[in-house]
Amino acid sequence: MDEKPINPTGPKRSSAGMHGITESARYSMAEMGPKRSLQTLLKMNHVDGFDCPSCAWGDPDPDHRKIAEFCENGAKAVAWEATRKRVDAAFFAEHSVAALRERDGHWLESQGRLAQPMHLAEGATHYAPISWDDALALTADRLRGLADPNRAVFYTSGRTSNEAAFLYQLLARRFGTNNLPDCSNMCHESSGAALNETIGVGKGLIAYADITDYADLIIVVGQNPGTCHPRMLTALEQAKRRGARIIAANPLPEAGFGRFHNPQNARGLVGSGTQLADRHLPVRINGDLALFAGLNRALIDREDERPGSVLDHEFIDRYCEGFEAAAAAWRALDWSRIETMAGLSRRLIEDCAADVLAVDRVVVCWAMGLTQHRNAVATVREIVNFLLLRGNIGRPGAGPAPIRGHSNVQGDRTMGIWEKMPDTFLDKLRDEFGFDPPRSHGLDSVDSIKAMRDGEVDVFLGLGGNFASASPDTEVTEAALANCALTVHVATKLNRSHLCHGTEALLLPCLGRTERDQQASGEQFVTVEDTMAMVHSSRGRLLPGSRQLRSEVAIVAGLGHALFGDDLGWRDMRDDYAVIRRHIEHVVPGFHAFEQRIRQPGGFMLPRPPRDSRTFPTATGRARFTVNPPTVPDVPPGHLLLTTVRSHDQFNTTVYGLDDRYRGIKGGRRVVFLNQDDLRDLHLHDGDLVDLVSVHPDGERRAPGFRAVRYPTPRGCAAAYYPETNVLVALDSTAETSNTPTSKSIVIRVERDDRA
Ligand SMILES: Nc1nc2c(c(=O)[nH]1)N[C@H]1C(S)=C(S)[C@@H](COP(=O)(O)OP(=O)(O)OC[C@H]3O[C@@H](n4cnc5c(=O)[nH]c(N)nc54)[C@H](O)[C@@H]3O)O[C@H]1N2
Ligand SMILES: Nc1nc2c(c(=O)[nH]1)N[C@H]1C(S)=C(S)[C@@H](COP(=O)(O)OP(=O)(O)OC[C@H]3O[C@@H](n4cnc5c(=O)[nH]c(N)nc54)[C@H](O)[C@@H]3O)O[C@H]1N2
Ligand code: SF4
Ligand SMILES: [Mo]
């Protein structure tokens, strides 16, 4: 794609409105045409329709849904999937793999939907057609030939349904490995790790109504809902209209926190909109641990001044442990260090603490701005501390809310997609299916890359996703994939991962969410779990994009059958997804009477004991206060901290276009947002061409050809888009405990590009 960012106009102060509607319409018409557009969009997020394939934000209860229950970015995702363009045998005959590797990700996906199974033979220059039977037999054959089942990895991206995910983990474990890396390893793993450790459950604790109806104060940290969870703005607007306050902590002044023009009602379209954030805290990149430590310190100070006025002692005494040690650590904090690390004044942090003390019920929402740093797990633990202090867990309008990314990434985990599922789950799996699942932990995403690089893995299977582009250290990851004997991708669209192939490769095209899924017993639906732990059904309506597409369930069940014959009833599960749901009901807690309850409008909510009954399934049965000394990365003089973010025109590695409307960028993605004082110190001007060079103990990495854009970021803080910047993230720069790549705090140098 041509890159020429022209006249950046700076951050917008408002979001959605008429512009959002015209953008949705433009994308839909271009990819789907008028009839298909109407047919699909009006079924989206409705009780008898399909779940939006984009983000994991939840839905209002069925009585409160509007006719158009989707946002601009949901519409883009659907149009992208339901496009009428096709990538078939003729396409692959025309384009060699080498030629396709020269194309960018946007071009590859723009070619349309993968239409038939394709095979790249050893030494071949082009993918060639293969039958489904041969493709599955070939995969089974290569897997069977492995010296050890741990020489295969089974990657999952978070769009996969519960049914397909359950089958996929069953397949991997039946095969004998827990090598089940997923996109979550690069996403909310830090949240899961911290929440599991402190409250005994790795998920958020809120329901939709906690935001709309109950919370008095909603703190949104490290999240850009205007782009990544657009309908969250509708919920925040509802909260505001009944008097809730909102604090946003973000190094960038994101448009979504400004005036929101709700496209679903006339007031939003013609009025002045609703100002969402009451306060914007321009925290430094990775200054959030210091910010929350400072908040907790301020709360303890107020309590020490007037004992009994701040803390919920009854809650702390009855349900928690570790309070004294944490309180002692807060009292010993040095305010000047907090101020430097957070980039915020003590006064401002104390004002926020006063906001907290003025209200009863507090929710903290966060996303990738917190999870992709070295100290990410500690930051989330510190948020839990913050909530525990005032008993903000296990009552309406309160609690931790990691807002999940992919539409079913949370459900995939619930279904067992995790390299370290607990023994309780594995025992149930054994009892249900009569085989002994492996117990030793498997490889996560980063460790899978290392194992492939080091020749310890021969077969990579991907159920969706774009592992090559989503992972850190692009060159290392691409070489690691190429080091495999066989790479197999189940996918809807062509992407970079399919071109960084092993000695041999397969491309298996599958149905998308929007499409009808017909199996032997009739038309099927699947289920998904949103970020509020609501499980509901999803039923596609469009005719499949090609006769040769198979559902993800059918592909995984087919592979199970090719490997093991019908030992676990793979055929029955393929023919009727209710059979899979019956197994899920027996294996996974919270799914009793699954088949009946999934038919209730809106579905059902999974249990989360800390929310439901203030029961904390930790080792001691208590919620844990933890001590988390604030840290920030060491940034040498002349260097900056770079965070990598999403534009308004992309879904992860899927780039829809080159604009980022809310940040005032048009026509280019190779831009780096820089503070004006940093620009001056670097002797650079707005518009200059620069290289970004990351510095890591094992060497430097370079991303060339970025335009410098003057932007109101905090001093020393830069931002640029993912995945263009993934080359800069060193493979072994990961978060403590969660092993999540530190893609939101990369130490860089900015060098003038001599080609300028
Ligand atoms: N349209 C669209 N929707 C999506 C996606 C998409 O790509 N496009 N991706 C989906 C997925 S998988 C996910 S995980 C989510 C991601 O949703 P987000 O996490 O909201 O997305 P990011 O663009 O990664 O942005 C993180 C936000 O954190 C801020 N930030 C960066 N560094 C820091 C920091 O150190 N501290 C703080 N406080 N803030 C920081 C950035 O300025 C940005 O506003 O969205 C999901 N939804
Ligand atoms: N630098 C940096 N790196 C990051 C991040 C970051 O913020 N910064 N974010 C991380 C995060 S949060 C995530 S979640 C990962 C995302 O990592 P992934 O989930 O691996 O990547 P996606 O870009 O979502 O995958 C897109 C591909 O999925 C396939 N696909 C789409 N729909 C379907 C479907 O219904 N079924 C199947 N089988 N395939 C489908 C298409 O072929 C498409 O090309 O990236 C991570 N990487
Ligand atoms: S908020 Fe997320 S789930 Fe809802 S319509 Fe928009 S993209 Fe889809
Ligand atoms: Mo994600």
Side-chain angles (χ1 to χ4, degrees):
M1 259 178 136
D2 265 355
E3 290 272 344
K4 37 176 177 330
I6 24 163
N7 304 326
T9 52
K12 298 275 172 293
R13 297 211 171 84
S14 66
S15 66
M18 205 56 209
H19 209 132
I21 296 181
T22 48
E23 281 291 289
S24 317
R26 193 166 64 83
Y27 270 90
S28 308
M29 297 294 280
E31 297 288 335
M32 302 191 283
K35 184 163 165 236
R36 218 166 152 79
S37 299
L38 261 187
Q39 222 182 343
T40 15
L41 293 178
L42 295 182
K43 282 289 175 201
M44 194 151 142
N45 295 326
H46 279 275
V47 169
D48 62 339
F50 64 94
D51 181 61
C52 172
S54 196
C55 83
W57 183 250
D59 303 303
D61 71 55
D63 298 341
H64 291 96
R65 293 193 198 167
K66 304 275 198 310
I67 294 175
E69 202 49 76
F70 61 87
C71 70
E72 177 189 343
N73 281 338
K76 283 184 203 164
V78 163
W80 200 249
E81 175 178 302
T83 177
R84 290 172 297 190
K85 296 181 220 146
R86 297 291 172 264
V87 167
D88 53 13
F91 173 91
F92 284 108
E94 187 185 337
H95 303 277
S96 69
V97 172
L100 291 170
R101 278 178 67 97
E102 298 300 312
R103 301 291 192 163
D104 63 30
H106 174 79
W107 187 90
L108 293 173
E109 286 209 28
S110 299
Q111 303 314 301
R113 288 284 298 278
L114 292 166
Q116 62 191 91
M118 301 299 296
H119 175 227
L120 185 71
E122 180 170 359
T125 53
H126 292 66
Y127 271 101
I130 184 172
S131 73
W132 273 107
D133 283 351
D134 288 350
L136 295 174
L138 188 154
T139 309
D141 183 62
R142 300 298 184 271
L143 283 170
R144 244 186 254 114
L146 295 181
D148 178 337
N150 292 316
R151 297 189 68 85
V153 300
F154 295 77
Y155 177 71
T156 316
S157 165
R159 207 168 264 188
T160 295
S161 66
N162 286 336
E163 286 76 0
F166 184 81
L167 268 196
Y168 193 58
Q169 63 81 32
L170 180 66
L171 176 80
R173 295 192 165 110
R174 172 71 184 82
F175 181 66
T177 182
N178 281 312
N179 287 347
L180 283 155
D182 67 347
C183 66
S184 195
N185 296 146
M186 303 185 263
C187 184
H188 265 297
E189 196 69 57
S190 306
S191 309
L195 294 172
N196 258 321
E197 179 186 339
T198 53
I199 59 172
V201 170
K203 297 181 184 181
L205 297 185
I206 62 155
Y208 195 88
D210 287 318
I211 300 277
T212 52
D213 297 6
Y214 302 114
D216 302 319
L217 173 65
I218 302 158
I219 306 181
V220 186
V221 211
Q223 195 202 342
N224 181 18
T227 285
C228 291
H229 304 90
R231 283 194 313 150
M232 180 171 166
L233 301 189
T234 311
L236 291 177
E237 184 196 35
Q238 253 177 283
K240 283 294 294 192
R241 298 189 80 85
R242 64 169 173 78
R245 283 175 70 78
I246 296 172
I247 298 178
N250 199 312
L252 305 183
E254 304 286 29
F257 297 115
R259 292 208 159 267
F260 172 55
H261 297 266
N262 189 341
Q264 286 174 328
N265 61 41
R267 193 180 56 229
L269 290 180
V270 297
S272 58
T274 309
Q275 170 65 31
L276 291 184
D278 298 277
R279 260 184 212 287
H280 173 237
L281 307 179
V283 63
R284 281 180 51 90
I285 291 173
N286 196 29
D288 308 276
L289 175 50
L291 164 62
F292 276 90
L295 274 172
N296 291 338
R297 162 67 189 268
L299 293 177
I300 289 289
D301 284 352
R302 299 295 90 79
E303 172 75 13
D304 288 347
E305 285 157 23
R306 289 185 53 209
S309 67
V310 171
L311 305 185
D312 185 342
H313 288 286
E314 203 188 310
F315 175 80
I316 294 172
D317 293 345
R318 183 150 169 218
Y319 297 106
C320 306
E321 65 184 9
F323 168 72
E324 286 306 335
W330 289 318
R331 288 188 190 103
L333 284 176
D334 171 359
W335 269 113
S336 70
R337 289 196 65 222
I338 296 283
E339 289 183 309
T340 313
M341 288 180 174
L344 304 169
S345 69
R346 173 179 181 173
R347 171 84 187 274
L348 187 54
I349 296 174
E350 291 190 323
D351 285 350
C352 288
D355 290 348
V356 173
L357 291 178
V359 300
D360 183 25
R361 300 182 258 219
V362 182
V363 167
V364 182
C365 303
W366 72 90
M368 296 305 100
L370 291 198
T371 60
Q372 301 170 333
H373 303 277
R374 179 143 185 82
N375 59 5
V377 176
T379 303
V380 176
R381 282 195 307 242
E382 195 65 14
I383 290 179
V384 173
N385 283 339
F386 168 76
L387 292 166
L388 292 176
L389 283 174
R390 287 175 53 82
N392 272 311
I393 282 189
R395 59 197 179 88
I403 306 297
R404 306 298 305 248
H406 263 295
S407 56
N408 196 41
V409 64
Q410 186 159 315
D412 292 347
R413 266 299 157 86
T414 307
M415 292 299 120
I417 301 289
W418 196 20
E419 72 282 355
K420 40 186 185 228
M421 278 310 272
D423 280 336
T424 45
F425 177 91
L426 301 174
D427 290 344
K428 286 271 182 76
L429 205 61
R430 176 199 58 207
D431 297 347
E432 179 71 2
F433 291 99
F435 74 95
D436 236 324
R439 301 285 165 155
S440 55
H441 289 173
L443 300 170
D444 63 13
S445 291
V446 164
D447 289 342
S448 293
I449 298 167
K450 290 183 179 168
M452 290 188 280
R453 176 196 65 192
D454 299 341
E456 292 160 8
V457 162
D458 304 306
V459 177
F460 176 95
L461 286 104
L463 187 58
N466 184 357
F467 192 75
S469 301
S471 297
D473 234 345
T474 313
E475 282 176 29
V476 179
T477 298
E478 292 192 351
L481 282 167
N483 213 15
C484 292
L486 174 69
T487 46
V488 182
H489 294 276
V490 177
T492 51
K493 288 209 160 179
L494 185 62
N495 67 42
R496 181 82 189 167
S497 300
H498 311 154
L499 309 171
C500 304
H501 53 84
T503 311
E504 210 179 354
L506 284 165
L507 273 183
L508 307 179
C510 65
L511 293 174
R513 280 277 170 81
T514 51
E515 288 163 319
R516 273 186 206 188
D517 185 351
Q518 185 71 39
Q519 301 296 340
S521 69
E523 207 176 293
Q524 307 293 312
F525 66 86
V526 292
T527 63
V528 291
E529 175 185 343
D530 66 28
T531 204
M532 282 94 175
M534 288 297 296
V535 180
H536 55 91
S537 62
S538 175
R539 187 190 284 273
R541 295 289 165 165
L542 294 176
L543 284 177
S546 134
R547 263 182 229 245
Q548 292 218 48
L549 300 186
R550 288 197 178 170
S551 74
E552 290 183 342
V553 166
I555 296 168
V556 178
L559 186 53
H561 194 268
L563 265 171
F564 312 113
D566 211 30
D567 64 341
L568 304 184
W570 302 100
R571 281 212 164 130
D572 286 350
M573 294 194 276
R574 176 198 63 195
D575 291 347
D576 181 0
Y577 299 178
V579 177
I580 307 176
R581 286 191 285 273
R582 205 143 56 229
H583 288 305
I584 293 173
E585 176 172 336
H586 299 158
V587 173
V588 188
F591 283 85
H592 60 90
F594 191 4
E595 201 63 22
Q596 290 84 50
R597 290 195 298 154
I598 200 63
R599 289 164 196 276
Q600 298 161 11
F604 60 90
M605 188 180 282
L606 287 175
R608 287 162 293 171
R611 168 189 168 83
D612 306 335
S613 57
R614 290 190 157 176
T615 304
F616 296 93
T618 57
T620 55
R622 284 173 170 265
R624 291 190 177 144
F625 279 98
T626 50
V627 174
N628 307 295
T631 52
V632 283
D634 182 28
V635 184
H639 290 66
L640 304 171
L641 210 48
L642 173 79
T643 190
T644 60
V645 298
R646 291 154 169 82
S647 85
H648 198 62
D649 242 1
Q650 75 181 88
F651 187 88
N652 297 341
T653 68
T654 296
V655 173
Y656 303 124
L658 291 181
D659 298 347
D660 191 2
R661 193 170 86 238
Y662 291 160
R663 299 195 186 107
I665 298 295
K666 221 172 156 50
R669 289 180 50 88
R670 291 187 88 82
V671 294
V672 56
F673 299 98
L674 295 166
N675 175 284
Q676 60 176 5
D677 296 332
D678 291 325
L679 272 174
R680 191 200 52 223
D681 288 0
L682 293 164
H683 308 290
L684 289 171
H685 297 99
D686 190 80
D688 280 355
L689 203 57
V690 296
D691 288 359
L692 309 181
V693 183
S694 69
V695 260
H696 190 74
D698 73 356
E700 294 189 351
R701 289 156 178 81
R702 182 176 294 262
F706 282 70
R707 291 275 167 201
V709 171
R710 188 177 60 231
Y711 208 76
T713 68
R715 200 67 210 276
C717 297
Y721 299 124
Y722 135 71
E724 287 80 351
T725 42
N726 288 39
V727 284
L728 298 173
V729 188
L731 189 60
D732 48 31
S733 176
T734 59
E736 286 158 352
T737 310
S738 66
N739 210 23
T740 296
T742 57
S743 14
K744 291 279 192 284
S745 41
I746 312 167
V747 177
I748 58 158
R749 235 177 25 236
V750 177
E751 289 181 359
R752 187 182 293 280
D753 190 317
D754 292 329
R755 293 171 303 168

